Amino acid sequence: MIEVCLSTGENGLFEEHTKAEAVIEKLKPELKNKVIAVRINGKVFDLSTPITESCTIEPITFEDEEGKSIFWHSSSHIMALAVKRVFKDAKVTIGPPIDKGFYYDFDVERTFTPEDLKKIEEEMKKICEEDLPFERIEVPKEEAIKLFKELKEDYKVEILEEIEDDKVSLYKTGEFIDLCRGPHIPSTGMVRAVKLLSTSGAYWRGDEKNKMLQRIYGISFPNEKDLKDFLEKLEEAKSRDHRKLGKELKLFMIEEDIGAGLVIWLPKGAKIRRIIEDYWLKRHEDAGYQLIYTPHIGKSMLWETSGHLSFYKENMFPPMELENVTYYVKPMNCPFHIYVYKSEKRSYRDLPIKLAELGTVYRYEKSGVLHGLMRVRGFTQDDAHIFVREDQVKEEIANTVAFAIDVLRDFGFDNFNVYISTKPEKAIGSNEMWEIATESLIEAAKLVGLNYKIEEGEGAFYGPKIDITITDALDREWQCSTVQFDFNLPERFDLTYTDRDGKEKRPYMIHRALMGSLERFLGVLIEYYKGNFPLWLSPIQARVMTITDEQRKYAEEVVEKFKEAGIRVDSDLGGEKITYKIRLAETEKIPYMVVIGKKEALEGVINVRKKGKGVIGNMKIEDLIRMIKEEEDKKGRVSN
RNA sequence: GCUGGCGUAGCUCAGCUGGUAGAGCAGCUGACUUGUAAUCAGCAGGUCGGGGGUUCGAAUCCCUCCGCCAGCUCCA
């Protein structure tokens, strides 16, 4: 007999080789049909695993992240079985769980149509009703290769040939056998709700040079309700899509006739941008940056020296030639900033020199990657380059990261992801310098209290970097802030300063952008706030509206007073009913609605309604002005 | 760029298997003068993304280009 404990506290004595599921059924019957797999001594196993020694078993359910992964992984096997039933010649490749659901890649003669998806989904439901067990089979690798060769599953053979172990595990579900590490749910009956979401092409092993396979994405749950909730959330997410809201709120447009990926800022969006720019300017001057302006194009020699023509050419707009000189539209601002540095002889006393610019750059992005404001071909970076001495590296990086975070917090962002990318295989600069720079980035992150992830080897060849991403409505991450160390450009452009000892030394350079690009930043802001911008960013802060024509004159006086107080106000004094005007203002997401009727005009007050909250009541004009000012000062650091 | 889907009025969308376009909102005009999320009536608005083809006839079928959406790849 062996003693088995559950992590939830129960324990009991069992025969050796009792299966994990039997143990759980005995000790904690309420978990039956809920437990997906078990963890024994830190490792995850199938429920059918026999227990061979005394141990503690931790049941894993769908509530656990790991449980979801297993559940969805098993769902992808079910999908593969369904596809094999519907399309006999389909070859299977890989099918992992993902963040929300699963996919499986198939090699098929023709692509899947939406009707095919329906058929496959129906077949999956059948398979779930059949309640087929997932059987684990361990075989020698050679035997597995032989098996998959017979089954003509070339991709599986290819994967097997790269596996080093002599023994591999297979999982059999119905007539479908897949090479798989496991673990899996006990049987297909556990999946009670399944929905196939989309198809797409995907390169075998993610390599553009390989054959394109057909991928099917799906989601599944242990009950119908979870699926319903999931689909509702998807719908909800769509409603906060910045492309939809941008159109509805008239913030920006991207017009086919003008060009893909080229953004037009409409008056209201432009207003927000202007507010952001003014704020940005002030913050940068306060932080010791010097603001500059540089041209949009530069001679090819510039880009040869910078290395862009050898490392970045495929992302640059094609050259233009006039008077025998070739020019390129700038994809980055750095070379220009470097020339500003070079415009004077620099002393060690001058450093750090911080040059900032809202620089508009153009990059060729493949048509398939364009995405609203998030990925465009022309955008304005809130760019800056900091030239420092070696002994200033740490401090300046810490300052810059803290600055970035502080700015993001003003915009209301509080949970972002921070990534620190370290030295890649191909890199320039000494190990020592890489270490100092990387260490500085890590220290800076710690100093500001950030949780960060290290991305090994993901740095640029010229230096390590720290990136801060913000998540959009559909949980896709977008990089906004970046602080990048550069050992390369100072060398290429032969930057120097005269040190205390009279010798010429090479400065280090830090590229940084806080918001990244104003376009992307606006996109992220729209989704984050669902279009309900905090007051300091609202293009219109208050709208004055009248109940009848009689109040027009008084209303105009009220508007004037708001304007004098520096509040962004507009008015709706037309002949429509007040209910209509209110509805309009609500859909336009105007924070404060000022209603003026007979009573208010008579008493010289205003009636105030707050968006989404309803009527606040009557007050003096000055009271609302004060309220607005106070709210404005908090910027995004308050939830509204 | 690749795979699939899609492109009809300013916006949101309808238009069955081919028979030369329709609604709501917005716009304009007029009436209504209204108390916190849609007052009524009338008018106007479209080379059905561009080009080519099949057909007696194309928004509808085919080809091609452009753009959009999802994903892949990329993202110095």
Side-chain angles (χ1 to χ4, degrees), chain A residues 72-73 75-77 79-80 93-106 196 198-200 202-203 205-206 213-219:
Chain A
W72 285 329
H73 186 187
S75 302
S76 85
H77 277 235
M79 180 161 77
T93 66
I94 53 161
I98 49 177
D99 235 24
K100 282 176 185 154
F102 56 89
Y103 67 79
Y104 210 112
D105 287 347
F106 303 94
L196 299 186
S198 63
T199 58
S200 83
Y203 302 106
R205 304 212 143 156
L213 309 167
Q214 294 298 311
R215 175 172 299 179
I216 304 178
Y217 285 91
I219 184 88

Side-chain angles (χ1 to χ4, degrees), chain A residues 254 259-265 273 317 329-330 359-365 370 372-373 375-381 517-520:
Chain A
I254 295 169
L262 302 174
V263 178
I264 309 289
W265 294 70
R273 171 165 171 170
F317 274 74
V329 179
K330 67 175 170 185
T360 303
V361 298
Y362 291 86
R363 296 181 186 175
Y364 166 68
E365 300 281 359
L370 299 173
L373 291 178
R375 190 90 179 261
V376 292
R377 285 181 176 158
F379 55 97
T380 301
Q381 295 181 302
S517 96
L518 292 173
E519 285 75 6
R520 176 177 291 179

Side-chain angles (χ1 to χ4, degrees), chain A residues 130-354:
Chain A
E130 287 167 24
D131 198 16
L132 305 169
F134 278 82
E135 291 172 56
R136 184 185 173 93
I137 307 161
E138 290 184 11
V139 296
K141 186 173 107 177
E142 290 313 317
E143 198 177 304
I145 291 178
K146 207 177 133 218
L147 173 73
F148 285 112
K149 271 188 179 157
E150 274 166 23
L151 292 169
K152 299 209 173 73
E153 295 288 7
D154 315 336
Y155 295 90
K156 291 290 167 191
V157 176
E158 191 180 325
I159 296 169
L160 270 166
E161 275 163 356
E162 284 169 25
I163 292 179
E164 291 187 356
D165 295 350
D166 294 332
K167 243 186 167 184
V168 296
S169 61
L170 310 177
Y171 276 83
K172 183 167 180 295
T173 322
E175 65 273 27
F176 175 59
I177 296 181
D178 202 352
L179 169 69
C180 186
R181 208 175 271 132
H184 279 286
I185 57 176
S187 71
T188 60
M190 200 171 232
V191 178
R192 290 295 177 79
V194 59
K195 174 112 188 133
L196 299 186
L197 299 169
S198 63
T199 58
S200 83
Y203 302 106
W204 168 235
R205 304 212 143 156
D207 191 332
E208 235 174 330
K209 291 180 201 94
N210 286 342
K211 181 165 184 185
M212 185 167 260
L213 309 167
Q214 294 298 311
R215 175 172 299 179
I216 304 178
Y217 285 91
I219 184 88
S220 61
F221 292 99
N223 62 68
E224 284 286 345
K225 189 181 172 298
D226 284 355
L227 175 63
K228 210 175 138 239
D229 289 349
F230 174 85
L231 294 174
E232 270 168 20
K233 261 193 201 153
L234 259 188
E235 282 308 306
E236 203 272 331
K238 273 187 203 153
S239 73
R240 64 197 295 175
D241 189 310
H242 76 281
R243 292 163 299 189
K244 187 174 144 79
L245 285 168
K247 203 179 268 177
E248 284 170 6
L249 301 176
K250 298 182 185 170
L251 299 174
F252 69 91
M253 61 182 234
I254 295 169
E255 164 59 41
E256 179 175 349
D257 292 345
I258 292 167
L262 302 174
V263 178
I264 309 289
W265 294 70
L266 298 171
K268 284 187 182 163
K271 188 81 215 174
I272 298 175
R273 171 165 171 170
R274 188 49 172 269
I275 296 161
I276 294 174
E277 287 184 2
D278 288 346
Y279 162 83
W280 184 88
L281 241 76
K282 169 107 181 41
R283 290 296 312 257
H284 279 71
E285 285 186 333
D286 289 353
Y289 285 81
Q290 303 181 79
L291 301 176
I292 58 174
Y293 295 95
T294 68
H296 287 148
I297 61 172
K299 281 159 77 171
S300 57
M301 212 266 300
L302 186 66
W303 307 108
E304 271 160 31
T305 308
S306 69
H308 283 89
L309 284 178
S310 24
F311 291 105
Y312 202 66
K313 193 167 184 191
E314 63 279 20
N315 278 294
M316 290 169 71
F317 274 74
M320 48 197 148
E321 205 177 293
L322 65 167
E323 292 182 340
N324 291 321
V325 182
T326 307
Y327 294 86
Y328 283 90
V329 179
K330 67 175 170 185
M332 293 186 198
N333 302 301
C334 3
F336 298 95
H337 289 204
I338 282 170
Y339 272 87
V340 175
Y341 178 91
K342 279 166 77 87
S343 68
E344 290 180 49
K345 194 124 174 80
R346 304 294 182 178
S347 148
Y348 71 97
R349 291 197 190 92
D350 298 335
L351 302 182
I353 289 172
K354 309 182 193 180

Side-chain angles (χ1 to χ4, degrees), chain A residues 401 404-405 408 416-419 450 466-470 478-482:
Chain A
V401 173
I405 296 299
L408 290 180
F416 16 69
N417 297 306
V418 179
Y419 301 94
L450 300 171
I466 183 166
D467 294 324
I468 302 173
T469 68
I470 304 175
W478 296 99
Q479 183 192 309
C480 290
S481 310
T482 181

Side-chain angles (χ1 to χ4, degrees), chain A residues 522-541:
Chain A
L522 179 73
V524 172
L525 274 175
I526 293 170
E527 303 208 348
Y528 186 72
Y529 286 111
K530 295 190 201 172
N532 297 297
F533 295 105
L535 206 63
W536 77 293
L537 293 175
S538 287
I540 297 170
Q541 297 172 312

